[in-house]
Amino acid sequence: MKALLTAGLIALTPTIALAQFGLPVDVPEAPDKTQFKPKGLPIPKAQDLSQASPRVTTDFTKAYPEVALFDDWQPQQIQALADLPQDTNGNYQLKPGLYEQTFESYSLQVGAYAPGKRNGYHSAPLLEDQQALISSLLQTAAQVKDITQSQIQSLIWAILSRAEFKKLSPELQTAAKQLLQPKVIQQLNQQALGLIPTEKRSEVFASLPQKMHNQLEAEASMRAALSDQKKYSDLERIAIQSGHPKSSVLKTKTPQGQWSYHPNGFFIRSIPSGYRRTLVQLAVPERYKVKRDPLGRIIEISDPAGNRIETDYDDTTQPLAIPEDPNLVGYAFEEIRFIRSPAKTTPPETVTLANIGWTLMHNPQASSRSRPLNAIPTRIASRVASQLQLAETIDDSSPATVFAAWEKRAQQAEDHQQRIDRYIKRWQTTSSKPSRKKIQQLADLYHYADAIADATDDKGWASYKWLKGHQAAIFQALQYETALLERGSQPPTLTFNPTSTVTLSPEQQRQILGLANRPYQP
């Protein structure tokens, strides 16, 4: 019995006490540091970072073609895009007219600069990797109204920085489950990168190209902030840099409100205000007919309703020749008729201007090589003045009266031609090139618009308010002919989905902005 009690006590005695009885003790060795496994994902190596394909692949080379002809155009009487019907995929069904909508916009880069107040932006398609996660998220966001813009933006930054979604805040995880499918969230967790301690970053980034450092460091900081469930304002400070890039590289000089041609058959421009909202304007051209005589002069512009401008030319007046620029020639008007068709049951109304005005146009007899691009000389006045001999008292039939204000018109012609030259230069790099004559005829519409505006610039015509609409029709005809050249044989679909469009700056360091099909709410 005593032996049994002794054995029981020994069994219950701690190992450290066994030595007192002279019994052998097996003491395990201390574990090696390499046996400890870090919590979470391992620290990514430089190779992991460099081989990770970018989520968004849109760049400036993918931007929709700019339309320099419309640089100064500020449209009026614009309709709300939201009034147009949409299909089940959120595509707006467009019809001729002017439309606008201020959409929620989203930063699609981590660590880039915010849009500048005076920067020109281009429109471009949203191009992504094979998963197309951003466009899918933005598309779904239109149907889920209770998720805030800040939550959507935080999830986009999480996708871009390859954060672990299971470590996001409960609020963001709930939003992610509403906007993304479960298998997508699982993939994002599998593709996530680990956190990089601050003291390890210089070591990890050392072998990477310098131009990648800022973005990768910003993404590393974003992963850490999301993992720590920081406030939105903290995430914003990481993702959006304020001010101006230190070494700005401009791809091209872009005016604010740059118009571009969308391949679906309309014109588009985007004007961001900060990174959270962007005004989008669309111009869907009306079908117009432009008739020309054998000399190429415009004799009629008409719309489908029968409203039109008709022009007869005074061929008894010697055309205006400009020796310094043989590509231009001026023709006097004999009669201009503005014809309005209010309704099918109402007779057309006509306003006639006789022996008023003149227009410049491209001289079809001149060689296209007779003047280098962008080279209309400023010394035109010295040669043409000797022809016109402007004086206080001159015969009404003299060239000075017929071709009045030619100096102003010559300057306008120079401005128009510079835009046409930019247009020609762009078309030289495309596969389907319209003829130079076709492009030059666009300038003739510009000249014709200037001529009609000058001919009706008189208080006596103020009572005919509808004449302003006829003047605007000339520019609409210019839009239609421009669209015909742009699309070539491609029929227009006339649909627009904001989630498939981005806004980007010619400054590489500035943000690319995506759009959700949700109106911006201040």
Side-chain angles (χ1 to χ4, degrees):
M1 184 69 180
K2 188 174 181 180
L4 289 173
L5 288 172
T6 303
L9 287 171
I10 293 172
L12 295 173
T13 303
T15 303
I16 191 169
L18 293 179
Q20 297 175 4
F21 294 94
L23 298 175
V25 179
D26 292 328
V27 180
E29 294 182 4
D32 186 77
K33 291 183 179 180
T34 58
Q35 293 180 320
F36 286 110
K37 292 185 178 180
K39 294 182 179 181
L41 296 170
I43 298 174
K45 298 177 182 178
Q47 186 178 4
D48 300 326
L49 300 174
S50 61
Q51 289 182 350
S53 60
R55 297 291 192 191
V56 176
T57 59
T58 299
D59 60 30
F60 196 76
T61 63
K62 309 298 193 308
Y64 296 133
E66 66 174 22
V67 184
L69 303 177
F70 304 163
D71 278 357
D72 296 331
W73 181 43
Q74 301 298 330
Q76 306 295 322
Q77 299 179 336
I78 306 178
Q79 305 172 61
L81 182 62
D83 292 341
L84 293 179
Q86 300 179 64
D87 63 17
T88 54
N89 294 321
N91 297 305
Y92 288 94
Q93 307 300 299
L94 304 178
K95 59 183 180 180
L98 299 170
Y99 306 95
E100 70 177 11
Q101 180 73 48
T102 300
F103 291 103
E104 289 181 353
S105 54
Y106 293 87
S107 153
L108 300 188
Q109 291 169 295
V110 179
Y113 283 83
K117 292 182 179 179
R118 297 180 181 177
N119 290 100
Y121 267 70
H122 289 248
S123 298
L126 172 54
L127 303 176
E128 303 180 75
D129 60 12
Q130 292 182 349
Q131 290 181 284
L133 297 176
I134 306 296
S135 56
S136 174
L137 186 149
L138 292 174
Q139 184 77 17
T140 308
Q143 285 93 45
V144 188
K145 306 295 185 183
D146 59 333
I147 297 181
T148 67
Q149 184 176 5
S150 297
Q151 290 172 330
I152 296 170
Q153 179 66 81
S154 298
L155 291 175
I156 290 175
W157 284 333
I159 292 172
L160 294 172
S161 60
R162 288 176 166 75
E164 275 193 281
F165 269 58
K166 61 186 179 183
K167 290 191 174 179
L168 301 181
S169 67
E171 173 190 274
L172 289 182
Q173 290 194 48
T174 300
K177 290 175 182 177
Q178 292 179 270
L179 295 174
L180 299 169
Q181 296 179 358
K183 63 178 182 180
V184 172
I185 296 175
Q186 183 181 4
Q187 289 174 352
L188 288 169
N189 281 319
Q190 292 170 349
Q191 297 167 359
L193 293 174
L195 304 181
I196 306 176
T198 305
E199 66 274 10
K200 291 280 187 181
R201 290 187 184 181
S202 58
E203 176 185 335
V204 173
F205 297 146
S207 60
L208 294 173
Q210 185 64 38
K211 63 180 181 180
M212 298 176 62
H213 284 200
N214 289 344
Q215 181 180 341
L216 292 175
E217 287 195 43
E219 290 176 359
S221 298
M222 182 62 71
R223 286 196 297 276
L226 287 165
S227 179
D228 292 341
Q229 301 181 8
K230 296 285 189 180
K231 295 183 298 183
Y232 182 79
S233 57
D234 296 323
L235 305 182
E236 188 178 49
R237 276 192 291 271
I238 295 169
I240 310 294
Q241 294 192 54
S242 59
H244 299 281
K246 294 178 180 178
S247 57
S248 179
V249 179
L250 278 173
K251 290 289 185 181
T252 184
K253 192 173 182 180
T254 302
Q256 191 174 33
Q258 170 74 64
W259 287 93
S260 302
Y261 178 76
H262 193 287
N264 287 1
F266 54 89
F267 302 99
I268 180 172
R269 71 173 178 176
S270 302
I271 306 173
S273 298
Y275 76 94
R276 291 174 59 88
R277 65 175 176 175
T278 297
L279 172 66
V280 176
Q281 293 183 329
L282 308 180
V284 184
E286 180 79 67
R287 187 181 187 89
Y288 275 82
K289 289 183 179 179
V290 180
K291 292 184 180 179
R292 295 175 171 85
D293 66 11
L295 293 178
R297 300 177 299 190
I298 297 170
I299 58 174
E300 183 180 312
I301 295 177
S302 61
D303 67 13
N307 302 301
R308 61 192 184 275
I309 304 174
E310 298 176 345
T311 311
D312 296 333
Y313 291 87
D314 181 6
D315 290 330
T316 64
T317 299
Q318 182 72 22
L320 173 65
I322 301 178
E324 297 284 354
D325 187 6
N327 285 303
L328 286 176
V329 61
Y331 289 100
F333 294 142
E334 182 177 68
E335 192 170 276
I336 307 170
R337 293 178 296 279
F338 299 90
I339 302 167
R340 180 173 69 152
S341 300
K344 293 182 178 179
T345 57
T346 306
E349 182 178 358
T350 302
V351 173
T352 301
L353 281 66
N355 299 314
I356 297 176
W358 62 279
T359 187
L360 284 169
M361 65 167 285
H362 176 68
N363 183 2
Q365 305 301 322
S367 168
S368 62
R369 299 178 182 176
S370 58
R371 180 183 63 82
L373 299 184
N374 299 328
I376 295 180
T378 56
R379 61 181 184 280
I380 289 176
S382 63
R383 297 286 295 273
V384 182
S386 63
Q387 294 182 5
L388 301 188
Q389 292 295 318
L390 301 179
E392 293 182 5
T393 306
I394 49 179
D395 180 56
D396 288 346
S397 61
S398 69
T401 301
V402 174
F403 298 111
W406 58 269
E407 294 160 299
K408 173 187 173 184
R409 203 76 68 76
Q411 182 59 53
Q412 290 172 331
E414 179 176 358
D415 296 339
H416 300 334
Q417 190 61 44
Q418 287 177 351
R419 295 173 185 176
I420 290 293
D421 291 343
R422 284 169 57 191
Y423 210 57
I424 292 173
K425 184 178 180 181
R426 175 165 71 77
W427 274 104
Q428 289 172 345
T429 62
T430 61
S431 55
S432 57
K433 299 175 183 153
S435 67
R436 189 184 182 98
K437 177 183 176 182
K438 283 286 186 183
I439 298 176
Q440 201 64 53
Q441 285 177 343
L442 299 179
D444 292 345
L445 276 166
Y446 258 121
H447 300 320
Y448 187 79
D450 291 337
I452 296 300
D454 286 349
T456 55
D457 187 19
D458 188 284
K459 292 181 181 178
W461 305 106
S463 58
Y464 296 97
K465 295 182 179 180
W466 56 270
L467 288 185
K468 290 293 183 184
H470 274 54
Q471 290 178 27
I474 304 172
F475 191 77
Q476 291 168 348
L478 173 65
Q479 287 183 345
Y480 181 70
E481 293 220 331
T482 302
L484 287 178
L485 287 181
E486 290 284 2
R487 75 177 189 230
S489 59
Q490 183 76 19
T493 61
L494 295 184
T495 59
F496 173 65
N497 193 323
T499 61
S500 63
T501 303
V502 300
T503 301
L504 73 168
S505 169
E507 288 185 280
Q508 289 179 301
Q509 299 94 326
R510 291 201 183 274
Q511 287 284 345
I512 297 175
L513 303 178
L515 302 173
N517 197 355
R518 301 176 9 149
Y520 175 76
Q521 302 292 341

